[in-house]
C-alpha cells in the first residue's frame, strides 16, 4: 500500500521541482519552483571544481570540496560588507526589493480563491512576518548569492515556522539519483561548542529533503551552479585593488607629508675626529627644552620635544659655507585620480548609479530609486523574481 502521509506526498511532489496540479476539468497548471527548466543539466558541477580539481567527484565528497572553495569567497564578502560603499549597496538592493505597494503591502497574493488568499496572507504576514524578515533575507541573498530557509512543517497546520540557515553550513546536493537527475537534498554541517566544564567542539550532520528548505539563489551565471552568484562578486577584484590603493595613499601621506628641515652647521677648524661629538652636542642643545615634571615640580632638561629623525643635520666646512637652515617641503601625492578610477569601476560592477550612493549629481523626486534608472530597475526586478519563486515554493508546501 502506498504511503499517503503528508511528508511522503511532499517528497514525491518536489522530487522533480515541477508542480503539476489540476485547476478544473482537463486544465492543468505547472509551477517550476526552482526554475529548473531554464538550467542545463550539464552544469550541475559548479565552477569551483572545474577550476581547482578539473574533474569533480560525486555525492558527498563533491559537496564537501565545493564547501571549502566557497568559504574563501565568503571571507571576501565579509570584508567587503565592512566597506562603506558596498555595505550601502547591499542595503539599497534590499530596500528597493522590499518596497511597499500603494496599498502598503510588501507582497501581493494573486489568486481567484479567497480561501487560499486568506491562508497565504496568514502564512506570510502572521507566521513568517515577512514585512520585517524579507529585508534581511534579500540582503543576505545579495551578499552571498545564496540564502537558505529551513521550513518547520506540521502535518496538521502546514508551515509553522522558518529558521534561517548559515550559508557556511549548508551544501546543496544534486545528481545523487541517476534515475531522477532533478532530485535535490541539502546537507547541513555545523559545529557546536559546549562550555559546561570544558570546551568540546562536535560536528553535527543533518540531511534535509528538497521540500524542507527554501533556497534563494541568484541564478545569473551558470558557472556557479548549483549555487547562486553574489551581487557583489563582480567588484571583488576591484575592491581588493581599491583597498590597496587607499592604504598606499594613507601611508604615503602619513610618512611623507611632514615638512623637514636641513641644518647646515659650519664646523670651522674642528678636527675630523671630533666632528661627530660636536654635531651631537649641537643637536642636543637645540632639541632639548625645559619641561616641568608634574609629580616633583622640577625642570626636566632631558625631555626631547621633537623627533630628531624628522630633520637633517649636515656638517659643512669651507670658506663661504656658514651655518644655514633650509626647508624641504612635504611630497605631494597625485594618485587620487587612480583611486577615482577604481571607485568608478567598483560602482559600475554594482550597477548602482552614483547619485544613489551619495556621489556627484543629485537625484530627482521620484518615490523609489528604481524609478530613476531603468537599468537599476531591471536589476531589482530580477532579485524580486528570484525571491518570489522561493516564496511560491513555501506557499505550495503550506497549501
Amino acid at each position: 500500500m502506498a504511503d499517503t502521509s503528508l511528508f511522503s506526498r511532499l517528497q514525491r511532489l518536489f522530487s522533480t521541482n515541477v508542480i503539476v496540479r489540476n485547476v478544473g476539468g482537463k486544465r492543468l497548471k505547472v509551477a517550476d519552483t526552482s526554475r529548473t527548466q531554464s538550467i542545463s543539466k550539464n552544469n550541475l558541477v559548479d565552477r569551483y571544481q572545474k577550476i581547482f580539481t578539473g574533474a569533480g567527484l560525486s555525492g558527498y565528497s563533491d559537496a564537501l570540496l565545493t564547501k571549502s572553495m566557497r568559504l574563501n569567497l565568503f571571507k571576501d564578502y565579509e570584508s567587503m560588507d565592512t566597506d562603506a560603499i558596498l555595505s550601502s549597496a547591499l542595503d539599497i538592493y534590499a530596500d528597493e526589493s522590499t518596497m511597499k505597494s500603494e496599498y502598503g503591502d510588501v507582497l501581493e497574493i494573486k489568486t481567484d480563491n479567497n480561501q487560499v488568499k486568506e491562508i497565504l496572507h496568514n502564512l506570510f504576514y502572521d507566521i513568517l512576518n515577512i514585512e520585517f524578515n524579507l529585508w534581511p533575507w534579500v540582503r543576505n541573498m545579495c551578499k552571498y548569492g545564496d540564502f537558505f530557509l529551513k521550513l518547520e512543517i506540521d502535518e496538521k497546520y502546514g508551515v509553522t515556522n522558518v529558521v534561517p540557515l548559515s550559508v557556511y553550513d549548508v551544501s546543496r546536493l544534486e545528481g545523487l539519483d541517476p534515475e531522477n537527475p532533478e532530485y535535490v537534498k541539502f546537507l547541513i554541517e555545523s559545529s557546536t561548542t559546549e562550555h559546561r566544564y570544558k570546551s568540546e567542539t562536535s560536528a553535527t550532520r543533518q540531511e534535509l529533503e528538497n521540500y524542507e528548505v527554501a533556497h534563494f539563489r541568484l541564478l545569473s551565471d551558470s558557472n556557479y551552479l548549483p549555487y547562486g552568484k553574489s551581487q557583489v562578486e563582480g567588484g571583488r577584484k576591484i575592491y581588493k585593488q581599491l583597498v590597496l590603493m587607499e592604504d598606499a595613499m594613507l601611508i604615503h601621506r602619513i610618512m611623507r607629508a611632514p615638512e623637514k628641515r636641513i641644518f647646515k652647521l659650519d664646523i670651522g677648524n674642528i678636527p675630523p675626529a671630533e666632528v661627530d661629538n660636536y654635531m651631537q652636542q649641537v643637536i642636543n642643545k637645540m632639541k632639548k627644552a625645559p619641561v616641568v615634571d608634574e609629580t616633583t615640580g622640577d625642570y626636566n632638561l632631558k625631555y626631547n620635544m621633537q623627533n630628531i629623525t624628522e630633520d637633517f643635520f649636515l656638517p659643512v666646512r669651507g670658506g663661504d659655507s656658514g651655518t644655514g637652515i633650509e626647508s624641504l617641503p612635504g611630497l605631494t601625492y597625485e594618485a587620487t585620480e587612480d583611486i577615482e578610477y577604481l571607485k568608478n569601476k567598483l560602482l559600475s560592477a554594482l550597477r548602482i548609479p552614483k547619485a544613489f550612493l551619495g556621489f556627484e549629481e543629485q537625484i530627482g523626486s521620484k518615490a523609489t530609486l528604481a524609478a530613476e534608472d531603468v537599468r537599476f530597475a531591471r536589476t531589482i526586478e530580477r532579485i524580486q523574481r528570484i525571491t518570489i519563486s522561493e516564496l511560491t515554493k513555501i506557499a505550495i508546501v503550506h497549501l
Side-chain angles (χ1 to χ4, degrees):
M1 184 175 179
D3 189 357
T4 58
S5 64
L6 172 66
F7 299 110
S8 298
R9 284 183 288 149
L10 281 174
Q11 185 172 358
R12 291 194 299 269
L13 189 64
F14 282 89
S15 62
T16 61
N17 284 315
V18 179
I19 311 302
V20 182
R21 65 186 182 91
N22 192 316
V23 293
K26 295 183 178 180
R27 296 174 56 199
L28 297 177
K29 189 171 183 179
V30 178
D32 185 11
T33 58
S34 64
R35 300 295 188 265
T36 55
Q37 294 174 347
S38 61
I39 301 173
S40 172
K41 296 180 177 60
N42 297 326
N43 288 326
L44 295 180
V45 179
D46 56 346
R47 72 164 188 141
Y48 310 105
Q49 296 156 5
K50 294 176 183 176
I51 294 177
F52 293 100
T53 63
L57 303 176
S58 60
Y60 299 101
S61 300
D62 204 13
L64 295 176
L65 181 61
T66 300
K67 180 180 177 181
S68 64
M69 301 304 174
R70 294 175 67 219
L71 293 181
N72 295 329
L73 292 180
F74 293 159
K75 293 178 182 178
D76 291 340
Y77 298 153
E78 296 293 351
S79 62
M80 292 171 71
D81 197 10
T82 61
D83 183 75
I85 296 178
L86 291 165
S87 180
S88 299
L90 292 173
D91 291 342
I92 288 176
Y93 289 135
D95 288 335
E96 292 300 307
S97 300
T98 57
M99 288 292 294
K100 292 184 178 181
S101 65
E102 61 269 22
Y103 303 106
D105 297 329
V106 176
L107 181 68
E108 182 181 358
I109 302 171
K110 295 182 179 180
T111 177
D112 297 332
N113 191 325
N114 291 330
Q115 182 183 5
V116 170
K117 187 172 184 177
E118 292 177 1
I119 293 174
L120 293 183
H121 189 278
N122 173 257
L123 168 68
F124 289 117
Y125 286 93
D126 299 329
I127 298 176
L128 303 186
N129 203 3
I130 202 171
E131 290 182 303
F132 299 95
N133 293 330
L134 189 60
W135 191 90
W137 294 353
V138 173
R139 193 182 189 279
N140 277 280
M141 179 182 66
C142 293
K143 178 179 177 180
Y144 299 107
D146 299 280
F147 180 71
F148 300 92
L149 274 181
K150 179 185 177 183
L151 309 182
E152 295 185 358
I153 306 170
D154 185 87
E155 291 197 38
K156 184 176 181 181
Y157 300 107
V159 178
T160 58
N161 191 22
V162 291
V163 179
L165 300 175
S166 174
V167 292
Y168 289 87
D169 301 332
V170 184
S171 300
R172 183 184 176 107
L173 307 179
E174 295 187 354
L176 298 177
D177 188 357
E179 297 181 358
N180 184 11
E182 302 296 343
Y183 180 64
V184 176
K185 293 182 72 173
F186 293 90
L187 177 64
I188 303 176
E189 290 184 303
S190 59
S191 58
T192 58
T193 305
E194 299 178 359
H195 296 279
R196 182 113 184 218
Y197 299 104
K198 60 180 180 179
S199 297
E200 295 181 356
T201 303
S202 60
T204 59
R205 291 168 58 96
Q206 183 182 7
E207 294 183 7
L208 298 178
E209 295 291 338
N210 189 15
Y211 64 87
E212 295 181 279
V213 177
H215 181 192
F216 297 79
R217 51 178 178 168
L218 293 173
L219 295 174
S220 59
D221 191 342
S222 61
N223 290 327
Y224 286 75
L225 290 174
Y227 301 99
K229 179 182 178 181
S230 171
Q231 197 68 23
V232 296
E233 171 65 25
R236 191 160 60 95
K237 177 183 176 182
I238 304 300
Y239 165 74
K240 294 181 179 180
Q241 295 174 340
L242 181 61
V243 169
L244 290 175
M245 186 64 70
E246 290 176 343
D247 291 344
M249 177 191 69
L250 292 176
I251 293 173
H252 190 280
R253 287 191 180 278
I254 293 173
M255 299 299 294
R256 297 295 185 181
E259 181 181 288
K260 292 181 172 61
R261 291 178 294 272
I262 299 178
F263 293 83
K264 295 182 179 180
L265 303 179
D266 188 6
I267 58 177
N269 296 323
I270 298 177
E274 299 180 5
V275 170
D276 291 341
N277 293 332
Y278 174 73
M279 293 293 296
Q280 192 62 43
Q281 290 177 6
V282 174
I283 292 172
N284 293 335
K285 185 177 180 180
M286 294 180 64
K287 288 291 184 179
K288 286 180 180 178
V291 176
V292 178
D293 192 341
E294 296 180 357
T295 57
T296 62
D298 298 334
Y299 280 113
N300 183 4
L301 296 178
K302 296 181 180 180
Y303 185 76
N304 192 346
M305 291 294 292
Q306 291 176 308
N307 188 359
I308 299 177
T309 60
E310 290 183 357
D311 299 326
F312 302 96
F313 291 85
L314 303 177
V316 293
R317 193 197 304 265
D320 54 353
S321 58
T323 301
I325 301 176
E326 299 179 3
S327 294
L328 293 178
L331 298 180
T332 57
Y333 189 75
E334 303 294 343
T336 52
E337 295 181 359
D338 299 339
I339 294 179
E340 285 295 325
Y341 168 74
L342 291 175
K343 188 174 69 175
N344 290 335
K345 288 188 68 175
L346 180 62
L347 294 177
S348 65
L350 296 176
R351 293 179 292 279
I352 298 179
K354 280 187 174 183
F356 300 172
L357 292 169
F359 295 103
E360 294 184 357
E361 68 273 5
Q362 297 296 320
I363 61 175
S365 59
K366 299 281 181 67
T368 62
L369 298 180
E372 295 284 347
D373 188 271
V374 176
R375 292 167 297 179
F376 178 68
R378 291 170 182 164
T379 301
I380 296 301
E381 184 181 3
R382 178 171 59 87
I383 296 174
Q384 290 176 334
R385 285 199 305 266
I386 292 170
T387 305
I388 289 175
S389 68
E390 289 304 311
L391 295 179
T392 304
K393 176 181 179 179
I394 298 176
I396 291 175
V397 173
H398 183 65
L399 291 175

